[in-house]
Amino acid sequence: MKFIFRKKRSWYILLAIVVTVAIVVLWRERFVMEKVSPTVTFVKEHMTNPNGSLATYLQEAASERADIVAGREALSESLGLWMQYALASDNEDMFEQAYKQLQTYYVIRPDIYIAWKLDPQGKSHVATNALGDDLRIMGALLQAADRWNQGRADKLATASALSRTLTQRTEQQGYLVDFYDFKSGHSTDTLSLVYVDLLALEAMRDHQMLEPEVYSRYEDILHKMPDDGLFYPKSMNVNTKAYTYDDKVNLIDQLIVANHVMEMGHKPDKLIAFLKKEFGTRGKLPGQYDRKTQKPAVDYESASVYGLSILLAVRSGDPNWAKQLYQHMITLRGRDTRYPGGYVFDGNTHLFDNLFPLLGETYLYNFLKK
């Protein structure tokens, strides 16, 4: 009897241990994925200028060249990413505040284009746009107009006016190009593939701001673009239709293009397999690779790489990989105890290294919640 009792007791103890471990594991995952990201508080408290614009860098620095961002200058890129986060988190008030920023500071009249950069006080000293940022913002405006009634007509009118400017002023050979200088009338003949934002272009098509055949033209760019066996090209010349590659591949660019490809319904299998192998072998994803050797060209990690990789994993239906990426990504967060929630290194950070991770974890949370 004593033997049977001890055996039963051992079995109950083992069962209790297994149940406890299971509860802890489940609670940890639940806690991590439902917790409001501290990165939002970091952005609001440390990366926001007095006028409400989003600063590009944490630390102040003087701007030495108009074509390079510095210090607390604000970018249309940041505004577009913040709008996307407001949509992903279903925060209408946050989106309205961002829209007010757009109308107050970024939209330059009477030409009706979005200045790609502002000084910390909200003044524009540039006369150029940035196509990728324009499309991101316009896509966000159209998505917000479709979701919320507040200010719907105004958002549609703004998106329509911006769309007309792009098609009338920045189009070459039937393609929008990277930028147009509204002061000199000069534009480039290059279309960077990271700017081929299919979700935004699709929304423009659906709202009759882009002809269906024009939208198909951009689909063809991504569908027919070559690769070197693994990595995507950097850009396409709209005159010659020739694609160009960088010798050193920026993984952020590759991931943005890969996400665009996923938006088209095509899974970028080769790049995903490569990233999984690299992450599994190295335990991290370095920020740049040598195109020919496919070996890391740098030692540093970028939080944006993980945010964009999580987006890709979620969109490709791979939550396990997304969770692994997320768990590693948040080890880079809050290392500087003065700035909890921020991806701060050596006392500084770039805003997109906080916004892309924020988008990635929000998409993952929404995916797991379903």
Side-chain angles (χ1 to χ4, degrees):
M1 289 294 293
K2 288 183 179 179
F3 173 75
I4 295 173
F5 177 74
R6 283 198 301 269
K7 190 172 182 181
K8 284 186 176 180
R9 187 175 63 180
S10 298
W11 186 86
Y12 283 128
I13 291 172
L14 179 62
L15 179 62
I17 291 172
V18 170
V19 170
T20 301
V21 170
I23 290 172
V24 169
V25 170
L26 289 172
W27 172 249
R28 280 181 178 174
E29 180 172 325
R30 182 176 182 275
F31 175 78
V32 168
M33 298 319 301
E34 291 190 3
K35 183 180 178 182
V36 176
S37 175
T39 305
V40 177
T41 301
F42 168 74
V43 171
K44 289 180 176 179
E45 292 185 355
H46 299 288
M47 301 299 292
T48 304
N49 291 319
N51 65 357
S53 65
L54 296 171
T56 303
Y57 289 100
L58 176 60
Q59 299 300 324
E60 294 185 4
S63 177
E64 298 180 356
R65 288 176 51 183
D67 61 337
I68 297 178
V69 65
R72 306 292 293 187
E73 290 182 321
L75 296 176
S76 57
E77 173 189 59
S78 303
L79 182 66
L81 290 171
W82 193 241
M83 284 180 163
Q84 288 184 331
Y85 169 69
L87 286 162
S89 57
D90 201 29
N91 191 328
E92 185 177 3
D93 289 340
M94 179 182 286
F95 192 93
E96 288 301 315
Q97 292 169 12
Y99 181 59
K100 185 177 180 180
Q101 282 279 316
L102 174 71
Q103 292 284 47
T104 303
Y105 299 112
Y106 285 92
V107 176
I108 306 302
R109 298 170 175 86
D111 293 298
I112 314 296
Y113 70 93
I114 301 172
W116 74 274
K117 184 180 80 161
L118 306 174
D119 69 18
Q121 290 72 44
K123 299 219 177 185
S124 172
H125 303 281
V126 298
T128 51
N129 69 313
L131 176 63
D133 306 344
D134 296 346
L135 293 178
R136 183 182 287 118
I137 289 172
M138 289 166 61
L141 289 179
L142 295 174
Q143 189 177 344
D146 289 342
R147 182 182 304 184
W148 299 309
N149 288 325
Q150 180 182 353
R152 182 177 188 274
D154 192 64
K155 292 181 181 67
L156 289 174
T158 299
S160 180
L162 292 169
S163 176
R164 281 195 301 272
T165 300
L166 284 179
T167 54
Q168 292 173 6
R169 305 286 289 276
T170 73
E171 198 172 77
Q172 285 194 43
Q173 304 298 323
Y175 297 95
L176 300 173
V177 293
D178 285 0
F179 71 86
Y180 179 83
D181 190 316
F182 288 83
K183 185 176 181 180
S184 68
H186 170 72
S187 66
T188 181
D189 57 5
T190 298
L191 174 57
S192 294
L193 298 180
V194 293
Y195 288 171
V196 185
D197 186 338
L198 286 180
L199 287 183
L201 292 163
E202 182 180 44
M204 291 168 64
R205 179 200 65 189
D206 293 345
H207 284 271
Q208 290 79 52
M209 297 177 191
L210 194 71
E211 295 297 327
E213 60 269 20
V214 176
Y215 171 77
S216 297
R217 198 178 299 150
Y218 291 103
E219 270 196 324
D220 285 344
I221 289 176
L222 296 184
H223 181 67
K224 296 177 180 177
M225 69 178 172
D227 60 53
D228 63 0
L230 175 61
F231 295 122
Y232 298 118
K234 173 79 170 178
S235 61
M236 184 192 81
N237 184 294
V238 298
N239 294 316
T240 65
K241 308 300 184 293
Y243 291 86
T244 59
Y245 293 85
D246 281 341
D247 291 334
K248 282 189 179 178
V249 174
N250 186 315
L251 214 50
I252 293 175
D253 291 347
Q254 293 292 307
L255 284 161
I256 291 175
V257 176
N259 274 281
H260 291 335
V261 170
M262 273 299 310
E263 291 159 7
M264 189 173 55
H266 297 285
K267 188 176 178 182
D269 292 311
K270 288 186 289 187
L271 185 63
I272 289 176
F274 173 79
L275 294 174
K276 280 187 167 184
K277 182 179 178 182
E278 285 291 292
F279 186 70
T281 302
R282 303 179 191 279
K284 66 177 184 177
L285 294 173
Q288 292 185 20
Y289 280 78
D290 183 277
R291 185 168 68 85
K292 291 183 179 178
T293 66
Q294 299 180 1
K295 302 295 183 185
V298 295
D299 292 327
Y300 70 78
E301 296 176 84
S302 167
S304 292
V305 165
Y306 296 109
L308 287 162
S309 296
I310 291 170
L311 285 174
L312 184 61
V314 168
R315 284 170 170 156
S316 63
D318 194 341
N320 290 331
W321 185 39
K323 289 178 187 178
Q324 293 171 21
L325 292 163
Y326 171 75
Q327 292 294 345
H328 181 76
M329 181 180 77
I330 60 175
T331 66
L332 306 177
R333 186 173 69 193
R335 289 190 176 183
D336 191 321
T337 56
R338 296 172 297 173
Y339 306 105
Y343 293 85
V344 180
F345 303 93
D346 298 324
N348 207 0
T349 187
H350 193 295
L351 187 57
F352 69 54
D353 265 331
N354 296 273
L355 295 184
F356 278 125
L358 185 57
L359 275 175
E361 69 176 294
T362 305
Y363 270 71
L364 177 58
Y365 167 74
N366 291 341
F367 182 82
L368 295 178
K369 187 172 66 172
K370 292 177 183 179

